[in-house]
Amino acid sequence: MSYEAFDDDTLGFTTRQLHAGYDPSQHFLSKAVPIYQTAAFELGSYERCLRLFKYEEEGDSYVRFSNPTNRVLEKRLTSLEGGSAAVSLASGMAAISDTFLTLAHQGDNIVSVPTLYGGTTTLLQKTLPQYGIEGRFIEDETDIDSYRNYIDDRTKAIYIEALGNPGMNVLDVDRITALAHSYGIPVVIDNTFATPYLFRPFEHGVDIICYSATKYLSGHGVNIAGMVVESGKFNYLNGRFPEFETFYNDFKDWIDEETLKREMFTKRLRITYLTDLGAHMSPQTAFYVLQGMETLSLRMERHVSNAGKLAAFLEKHPAVTEVLYPGLESSPYHSLAEKYFPKGPGAIMSIRVKGGQEAALRTLKAVRIFDYMTNVGDAKSLIVHPASSTHFGHSPEENAKAGVYPDSLRLSVGIEDIDDLIRDMDQALNQSQQI
Ligand code: PLP
């Protein structure tokens, strides 16, 4: 018996989500990916120790940098994305902050759209500036030519989300990557809401993908986790990234040149930031994420089907003044969603409830199946009031730009029976109108 499915990228997505990156013959034929629950590994010999520390040999020394369980997850996601390498981190925010730190240094800036997860907005607006890295927010993210006004010779990335949180806006990614590359700048995308099953960032020129793997990649809602994947196509030696040139010169004698260039971003992130700041995913968590990813495509199909039906129902509900979901023909993003999301634009939507914030809060109180939680991307349906939670602390103007109003609720539509979800939202919205 051979186990070639572990590195056959011609296999379909669903086959790869079960097999890619794992060769049982290297792990005592264990069918499940083993959890390597250890803090460190024996080095074997002085010569091997040196090879490991020069990154000449694939292997593990200390689990702050790497672990075989995590490596299976990293290879599996790399295969699903069609990229060159990945790193697993302790949370989505660790993935995003380590990505920014790897790209930008004191005096540099990151140009970003304003329609982001609140935590990322805070990171760019408040935390990174304390270390000399400026987050620049584009005023109108739909006017792609205007992005040029924010770019200068210290710009190190354009940062976007595949589906804006929580307004679910869709960007013209092809145009953004073309513009960024004309300046020699990489594009980073947060693909958390879409997953590699619904959106294929590397096929649209994106260079780096970040995930909160806490969400759909896991789907079971039992862990916090993050991932970063690189395309292997961006040239970091184009003159804009002096720190990458130093890194390249430090490692070029030990790592095969082609591999070093294809995996330059993730190698630098791992060797510098994972090592120095220490936010590696635990092997136990890597195992949980792998368990979830085995059913990713099947879950996403059901999520999208439920979301489409629920959005159509809510759009006609008398207690709902607006539904933000790009799958609806009424959405200004519908044609972009059809282009970029042929399998459907995810399963998160925002609604605005008639009667203002009080009515929105009454809806939250009345739901029976939807759980009132700040999380998204769970197999179970979740609901939250963004203005008092995920987007709390931002000004009303900033929130309005992200599609958050006092009467907004964000729904993360799960995989339950759709009739139950429709009935639940119907009764909760009806109760919200009774004062
Ligand atoms: N990106 C998006 C789109 C998110 O919704 C979140 C969290 O909700 C994050 C990143 C941060 O992920 P984590 O909570 O795993 O750190």
Side-chain angles (χ1 to χ4, degrees):
M1 173 92 194
S2 66
Y3 295 97
E4 283 157 19
F6 82 93
D7 73 345
D8 182 352
D9 282 338
T10 65
L11 295 169
F13 188 99
T14 303
T15 309
R16 281 179 289 133
Q17 77 190 6
L18 288 153
H19 297 281
Y22 180 60
D23 179 0
S25 71
Q26 303 300 307
H27 303 268
F28 296 98
L29 298 179
S30 168
K31 193 55 223 160
V33 178
I35 303 168
Y36 284 84
Q37 190 64 51
T38 179
F41 290 81
E42 290 211 23
L43 297 167
S45 67
Y46 166 75
E47 290 75 19
R48 182 167 180 272
C49 170
L50 276 186
R51 287 199 302 278
L52 287 176
F53 276 82
K54 290 173 173 174
Y55 286 84
E56 249 179 337
E57 179 177 320
E58 184 178 271
D60 310 281
S61 55
Y62 192 63
V63 176
R64 179 151 33 82
F65 329 134
S66 70
N67 178 290
T69 313
N70 297 51
R71 193 151 45 247
V72 175
L73 172 61
E74 288 159 359
K75 289 190 171 170
R76 190 158 295 176
L77 188 61
T78 300
S79 167
L80 294 180
E81 292 288 5
S84 63
V87 182
S88 47
L89 294 106
S91 69
M93 285 319 297
I96 295 166
S97 54
D98 273 19
T99 293
F100 289 155
L101 291 172
T102 305
L103 289 168
H105 303 84
Q106 198 172 31
D108 291 340
N109 64 76
I110 290 160
V111 171
S112 173
V113 296
T115 48
L116 296 181
Y117 166 59
T120 311
T121 304
T122 308
L123 174 67
L124 284 167
Q125 206 171 51
K126 300 195 173 142
T127 309
L128 288 179
Q130 292 171 20
Y131 302 92
I133 299 169
E134 184 194 353
R136 292 186 178 170
F137 290 91
I138 292 157
E139 183 71 24
D140 175 6
E141 76 282 356
T142 62
D143 179 2
I144 291 168
D145 279 329
S146 76
Y147 292 21
R148 296 179 193 283
N149 302 333
Y150 301 84
I151 293 173
D152 62 22
D153 59 2
R154 297 299 298 269
T155 302
K156 297 302 168 82
I158 294 186
Y159 185 78
I160 59 178
E161 285 185 3
L163 289 161
N165 179 356
M168 294 298 276
N169 58 307
V170 182
L171 295 162
D172 198 343
V173 180
D174 286 336
R175 287 189 59 207
I176 296 172
T177 54
L179 181 136
H181 293 164
S182 73
Y183 289 90
I185 297 169
V187 173
V188 183
I189 200 166
D190 180 333
N191 203 31
T192 299
F193 280 22
T195 81
Y197 188 65
L198 298 181
F199 182 53
R200 315 285 310 148
F202 293 153
E203 291 168 19
H204 296 284
V206 169
D207 306 287
I208 297 161
I209 308 174
C210 294
Y211 280 106
S212 167
T214 313
K215 314 291 184 328
Y216 292 111
L217 290 186
S218 298
H220 37 48
V222 304
N223 51 250
I224 298 287
M227 299 290 300
V228 176
V229 195
E230 76 175 304
S231 70
K233 294 192 183 128
F234 189 81
N235 175 19
Y236 293 95
L237 304 178
N238 66 5
R240 192 178 271 268
F241 298 90
E243 297 82 4
F244 278 86
E245 275 163 39
T246 308
F247 178 78
Y248 179 76
N249 289 329
D250 286 348
F251 283 90
K252 72 176 182 332
D253 293 339
W254 304 320
I255 304 176
D256 156 68
E257 189 182 327
E258 203 196 316
T259 309
L260 183 55
K261 284 187 176 159
R262 273 171 48 79
E263 302 179 10
M264 183 100 116
F265 179 78
T266 44
K267 282 212 174 338
R268 184 156 184 272
L269 190 159
R270 187 187 301 280
I271 295 171
T272 308
Y273 294 96
L274 210 54
T275 307
D276 291 359
L277 303 183
H280 196 207
M281 184 189 289
S282 79
Q284 185 92 30
T285 297
F287 174 81
Y288 292 142
V289 180
L290 280 163
Q291 288 294 109
M293 264 169 54
E294 291 194 349
T295 56
L296 178 63
S297 61
L298 308 180
R299 282 186 284 111
M300 293 319 290
E301 278 168 11
R302 175 69 169 238
H303 277 295
V304 164
S305 150
N306 276 359
K309 289 176 189 159
L310 187 64
F313 172 79
L314 293 172
E315 199 174 31
K316 296 204 182 86
H317 199 285
V320 175
T321 57
E322 194 178 11
V323 180
L324 302 179
Y325 180 64
L328 291 171
E329 274 178 30
S330 58
S331 164
Y333 304 108
H334 186 63
S335 59
L336 282 173
E338 283 195 313
K339 172 179 174 187
Y340 290 107
F341 295 85
K343 295 194 179 102
I348 296 168
M349 64 187 70
S350 277
I351 61 171
R352 297 184 67 182
V353 184
K354 191 172 160 195
Q357 172 157 312
E358 291 309 313
L361 297 181
R362 282 197 294 274
T363 310
L364 274 185
K365 252 188 166 170
V367 284
R368 293 184 192 137
I369 296 173
F370 278 81
D371 291 313
Y372 176 24
M373 289 167 65
T374 54
N375 201 10
V376 290
D378 196 307
K380 302 164 206 83
S381 290
L382 314 174
I383 189 166
V384 76
H385 178 244
S388 58
S389 56
T390 55
H391 289 67
F392 179 70
H394 299 283
S395 71
E397 295 74 29
E398 279 164 356
N399 275 344
K401 275 189 201 158
V404 174
Y405 302 93
D407 58 4
S408 298
L409 294 175
R410 183 186 70 191
L411 278 59
S412 173
V413 183
I415 61 172
E416 296 93 339
D417 292 304
I418 183 61
D419 291 346
D420 292 333
L421 297 182
I422 289 177
R423 251 196 310 273
D424 191 31
M425 284 309 297
D426 188 33
Q427 65 81 24
L429 286 162
N430 290 339
Q431 283 196 54
S432 79
Q433 303 301 299
Q434 292 159 15
I435 306 167

